[in-house]
Amino acid sequence: MTQKRTITDMIETLEQYAQTQPDFPVYDILGDVHSYGDLKRDSDSLASHLDQLDLTPSSPVLVFGGQEYEMLATFVALTKSGHAYIPVDRHSALDRIEAIIEVASPSLIISLDAFPLETPLPILSGHQLTEVFSKHTPYQISHSVKGDDNYYIIFTSGTTGKPKGVQISHANLLSFTNWMISDKEFATPDRPQMLAQPPYSFDLSVMYWAPTLALGGTLFALPKETVSDFKQLFATILQLPIGIWTSTPSFVDMALVSEEFRAERLPALTHFYFDGEELTVKTAKKLRERFPNARIVNAYGPTEATVALSAVAITDEMLASYKRLPIGYTKEDSPTAVIDENGQVLPNGEQGEIIIAGPAVSKGYLNNPEKTQEAFFEFQGLPAYHTGDLGSMTDEGLLLYGGRMDFQIKFNGYRIELEDVSQNLNKSRFVESAVAVPRYNQDHKVQNLLAYIVLKNGVREQFDREIDITKAIKEDLQDIMMSYMMPSKFFYREELPLTPNGKIDIKGLMNEVNKR
C-alpha cells in the first residue's frame, strides 16, 4: 500500500533526484532515453539563457511542440526561471493558436517546430534550443515559480467563443500531486513507469508527469504519429515496460480493439488511471477481463480544479451493481459539495451541481475577469468553482456522476440527459460505441434526437439493410430505455470523431448536425 508521501516543491524534488539518481531514466521516447541528470543539465542551461533575454518577470511563455523530451526540459527550465508555461500542441488549429496568443500575450514563444503563424513575438526555435542545451551552463535557482505563482496555463477547448486559459499555480499543483502520490485509491508505486500519451496541452497529461516526477519514475512518451497509426501503436505499446496507463476511456477503447492488449502480453501493466471523460461499465468490464489483476482507477475533475478532485479503484461489485460507475472519493483538502439552483448544499442522494473548494481551485481564467466571475466564487470562506456537472453524494462519501448540465435537453416536455441516452445505446449487444445528439429547429427547440453508432465487428453482415439494424437495436433496448429517450434517426459510422484530447467530440457532432 502507499504511504503518506508529500513534496513541498516540484523543482527542489527534481534537483534532489538529479543528485541521488542522475543516471536513472526520466524520459523515454521510442528508445531515445534521457536521465534525471540530463534533465537538470538541459533545464539549467535554458533557465540561464531565459534570464538573459530580459523577459517581463513572471510573464507566461508559449511552448509549441508534441511529446518530445525537449518539451519537458523546457517546462522545467521555465519553472526554474520563474515563468508559467502555456503548452500548445503542434496539431492545434491555427485559429486556436492565434486566439491563445491574443488572450495570453506571452513574452516569448519556444517552438520545437517551425512556428505556423506570423507573429511579432520573439521566438526561440528548436534549433536554437539544441544550441542552448549543448552549452551546459550551470544555474543557481533564485526566483523559481512558488506558491500562488502560475506554474502552467492550459487553454480549454473553447468550442464556443474564445478558449479560456486556466491558471494553475504551484500551490494548486502540489495539492493535486500530493493527493495522487499518497491516496490509497491510486496506490501509485515508487518510481512509477508511466505511459505519457495525452498531449501536454490537455491537463490529463499532469496525471502522468506530476506523480512520475514527484516519485522519481520514468515517462514513456508516445508521439501523435505513433498513436495515429494503429499497427505502429500496438507494435510500440507491446514493447514498453509500462506499469501505469493514464488515458481517456476512449483511448483505451481503441487499445482494446487489439486482442493482444491483455495482461499476458503486458505483464508489468498493473494500474490504469482514467480521467477526462466518463468511464463506462462496458469499458471497465472489458478491461477487467483482459487485465484481471490490474487496478482500474476512475478519476474525475475539471481543469479548473487541477486535473481531478475525486478517484476510486473500481471493484467487481461496482461493475455488477452500478449502471454508471462512481467517480470517486473526494480529495481530503478539497471540500466538495452538491448544491441546488439557489446554492444550498443538498443532502446525500439528491442530485445537483458538483462544486469544489480549497487549495486545488484555480485563481481563474487568464485575462478574462468576466468568465472568471461566472465560474469561480467563495464557498465556506474558500476559493471555489462551479463544475457545471450534475452529481450526487452517497452516505459513504462516493461521488456519483449525473452528466453535464449543458448536455441536458428538453424534448417533448421531458428533461433528457444526452449522456444517459448514449449510455443506454451502448448497452445494445450490436453496439461498439454510440453517442446521442440533438437537432434543433429555428426556435432553438429540440426537433429530434439522433444517434451516431459504431457497430460491433460482424454486425453489418447479419442484416440486409441499415433500417433492420436500427430496428434490432431498438428491440434490444426496449426494456432498458424509456421510449421518449429513443433517438428517431440512427447514423452508422466506422468511427466516432474524437477531440484532440481523445474524447468523443459531442459538441463537434452537435455543430455538424445543426448546420444542415
Side-chain angles (χ1 to χ4, degrees), residues 343-363:
Q344 298 300 306
V345 177
L346 290 164
N348 290 346
E350 286 193 32
Q351 186 161 279
E353 186 194 9
I354 300 168
I355 59 157
I356 175 174
V361 173
S362 161
K363 60 174 79 92

Side-chain angles (χ1 to χ4, degrees), residues 315-374:
T315 63
D316 289 338
E317 191 188 352
M318 287 172 189
L319 291 175
S321 59
Y322 280 96
K323 286 181 180 169
R324 277 182 119 152
L325 293 174
I327 52 175
Y329 297 100
T330 56
K331 292 169 80 230
E332 226 175 282
D333 71 355
S334 303
T336 302
V338 175
I339 61 168
D340 64 15
E341 287 164 8
N342 303 313
Q344 298 300 306
V345 177
L346 290 164
N348 290 346
E350 286 193 32
Q351 186 161 279
E353 186 194 9
I354 300 168
I355 59 157
I356 175 174
V361 173
S362 161
K363 60 174 79 92
Y365 302 117
L366 184 68
N367 302 328
N368 196 336
E370 194 185 320
K371 292 286 183 195
T372 297
Q373 207 175 343
E374 279 176 27

Side-chain angles (χ1 to χ4, degrees), residues 62 64 88-94 97-98 101 109 111 113-119 123:
L62 190 149
F64 182 79
V88 176
D89 192 71
R90 66 160 59 93
H91 299 95
S92 305
L94 295 184
I97 302 168
E98 221 164 350
I101 290 173
I109 293 170
S111 185
D113 297 337
F115 196 64
L117 291 173
E118 287 290 319
T119 173
I123 294 178

Side-chain angles (χ1 to χ4, degrees), residues 40-49 52 131-140:
K40 174 176 169 53
R41 190 192 62 222
D42 294 336
S43 59
D44 277 356
S45 294
L46 180 54
S48 174
H49 181 79
Q52 291 162 32
E131 268 183 37
V132 170
F133 286 165
S134 71
K135 288 180 180 168
H136 299 183
T137 316
Y139 187 69
Q140 195 66 44

Side-chain angles (χ1 to χ4, degrees), residues 92-236:
S92 305
L94 295 184
D95 56 354
R96 174 174 164 79
I97 302 168
E98 221 164 350
I100 289 172
I101 290 173
E102 194 185 319
V103 172
S105 300
S107 58
L108 173 71
I109 293 170
I110 299 177
S111 185
L112 271 61
D113 297 337
F115 196 64
L117 291 173
E118 287 290 319
T119 173
L121 293 167
I123 294 178
L124 186 71
S125 69
H127 178 65
Q128 289 169 308
L129 197 60
T130 306
E131 268 183 37
V132 170
F133 286 165
S134 71
K135 288 180 180 168
H136 299 183
T137 316
Y139 187 69
Q140 195 66 44
I141 297 169
S142 62
H143 51 278
S144 61
V145 169
K146 300 267 187 196
D148 203 34
D149 300 340
N150 284 340
Y151 196 99
Y152 63 79
I153 297 159
I154 280 187
F155 276 77
T156 57
S157 52
T159 36
T160 53
K162 277 196 178 152
K164 301 188 293 274
V166 182
Q167 304 174 83
I168 297 298
S169 70
H170 189 258
N172 293 152
L173 179 66
L174 288 181
S175 168
F176 168 74
T177 307
N178 285 326
W179 168 61
M180 211 179 151
I181 65 178
S182 61
D183 187 72
K184 66 180 175 57
E185 300 301 322
F186 287 106
T188 311
D190 281 326
R191 282 186 169 176
Q193 303 294 291
M194 188 93 77
L195 179 71
Q197 177 268 324
Y200 289 110
S201 55
F202 181 18
D203 76 325
L204 179 54
S205 63
V206 183
M207 192 174 268
Y208 63 71
W209 69 251
T212 302
L213 298 185
L215 297 173
T218 310
L219 293 163
F220 290 87
L222 286 180
K224 194 176 175 77
E225 295 69 29
T226 305
V227 172
S228 305
D229 180 333
F230 199 74
K231 274 190 174 168
Q232 201 188 341
L233 175 66
F234 273 93
T236 306

